[in-house]
Amino acid sequence: MEKSATLDKKFQLSEEGLAFVKKEMNRYETKRSAILPCLYRVQKENGGWVSPGAVSYLSQVMDIPEAQINEVLLFYTMYNKRPVGKLHIQVCCNLSCAMNGSRELVDHLCNNFHVKEGEKSTDDMVTISRVECLGACDIAPMAQVNETYIGPLKKETVVDQIKGLLKQD
Amino acid sequence: MEHRLLSEHYYKEGHSSLAGYKSLGGYETLHKVLDKTPEEVVCIVKDSGLRGRGGAGFPTGVKWGFLPNNSEPRYLLCNADEGEPCTFKDRLIMEKAPHQLIEGMLISAWGIKSHKSYIYIRGEYQNCIRIMEKAIRSAYDEGYLGKNVCGRDFHHDMDIYVGAGAYICGEETGMISSLEGKKGQPKLKPPFPAVRGYLDKPTIVNNVETLAAVVVILRDGVEAFRSIGTEKSPGTKFFSVSGCVRTPGNYEVPLAYPLMDLIELAGGLREGRKLKAVIPGGSSAPVLTAKECEKARMDFESLAELGSMLGSGSVIVMDDSCSMVDMLSVIEQFYHHESCGQCTPCREGTGWLSKVVDDILKGQGRIHDLSLIQGIAENMMGKTICALSDAAALPAISFVTKFRDEFEQHIRKTLVQKKEEGLSA
């Protein structure tokens, strides 16, 4: 099978990244438990997503079959299998947030940032997606922007709020 | 009024730091407990009648009693995956009282003779992860973790494991698979984790709130704990109240607290709104009608009598602005998304439920879809490795039976609309 992204093959962890992987491989009772934390690290150093090339690379570094790494990668939703924008805005659309208008917020945000749900904006700045309950219904409707929770969100202010966050980083 | 048993000091400044926690009596219980034998500790927890706060409500002491009587290493695994929709109480505990959780885990570990524990925290809870990491580090620095806990002949190591976004990892065997670095698929029981768990070693999996409650039980004694709540559901419980209420949040009340009073604690309904329905124990629990809510009490038995369950203690309040068809479609989409795919009735059933309900919502429903939903759901129950399939089936059945009129009306209304559109086209 032809491998698509040639660029991926070039992915390498930083020196600190490699030290992290080594440490994680000794942290738990078995090496395999280190796959989840190491995938997070790869994602962080690969601009927010895990590319096929990065999986091959991690497989070599950890000496764990690619299939075992892919099994984890594909099962869990927090690993992005496609590139995401600088801000990954994940709007909760489960019950309490939905009741409080979160689904309308997703449409509103997509329209304002000219981006389709789940896709990266052309300027690479944002990705807006719907996610399941994030366990913060006390601030519904809410979203997770990269690692931070924001809410309760208001239609009138949410676009400016995101623009403010874009300027910050 | 709230009964702040666990959360007595939660809102005091500094309580989340080790020094602050100690200044309010923290870790004193652990010191006392280390004078007791592990068997005594298990006995006290058993006598207290404490029931698991994660969802199933299984008696904690009884679970501990399942451990084999041998010298094999055994693990304590704290379930902080908190994935049940609209539950956010464990987040509160970790953010406000990380050391209460650590102390509870140490007391439990002493009781079950475990030298290694993990806190499995869902990956989205970055703030909790940071707080717990810091708390564990300071507990090591102060001699509460590691070799010779409190200067005694007891060793215990504690670590955090971060999940990566999968509801099913809240199921204890799914969590164990995940901790082993695999996809989080549940395993067939028996053998139960207490016999064969993490790396095939005996493992006890307890929820955050359960472990935090262990501290107050050992501190105040069995009688004091049992004086709160009911005979079969003793103690207090955190309820995450959300949805159509004015002040959504976590409220700690005695078990058997009236549901309507709990809704009032959360600020009550918004101006001019009428109560329509409440899901009392997370989205897997059967829904209660407004009429049923009037007599509902928040304990394991009362809710079971009403045909629902206490579950994780997430109370989802719906007023007359909510469409029940819409709400059920949100629920079924969730379970379809989260099914791990191992068992056919769940993998296929959640997909069908989601599709049929969604069709109704979008105006493509037919009246006999309601019996179709019922039929699919009935065939999903009790047929799979874990309870996710049942969790998807129960709300479906309760929604379409209790709110059948609304479903029928929605179907008819959209049928008429479509006909009219067809005529005008």
Side-chain angles (χ1 to χ4, degrees), chain B residues 108-129:
Chain B
S108 307
W110 172 248
I112 64 169
K113 301 176 191 169
S114 164
H115 301 295
K116 181 74 193 267
S117 60
Y118 283 102
I119 309 175
Y120 186 106
I121 309 180
R122 64 179 296 184
E124 294 90 342
Y125 278 3
Q126 285 299 322
N127 194 35
C128 292
I129 294 164

Side-chain angles (χ1 to χ4, degrees), chain B residues 46 50 59 74 81 93-94 105 107 109-110 119 153 155 185 197 217-218 256-257 274 314 318 324 350 390 404:
Chain B
K46 224 180 245 176
L50 172 66
R74 59 235 350 230
D81 195 48
I93 297 172
M94 289 186 279
M105 287 179 70
I107 293 169
W110 172 248
I119 309 175
D153 185 23
H155 312 299
Q185 290 187 323
I217 292 170
L218 270 295
Y257 198 76
K274 252 177 70 188
S314 96
M318 289 170 268
M324 296 311 272
T350 52
D390 298 69
R404 190 171 176 102

Side-chain angles (χ1 to χ4, degrees), chain A residues 85-86 113-115 120-126 166:
Chain A
K86 190 175 153 199
F113 287 99
H114 311 290
V115 62
K120 191 162 56 90
S121 60
T122 43
D123 60 0
D124 293 342
M125 292 314 260
V126 297
L166 275 171

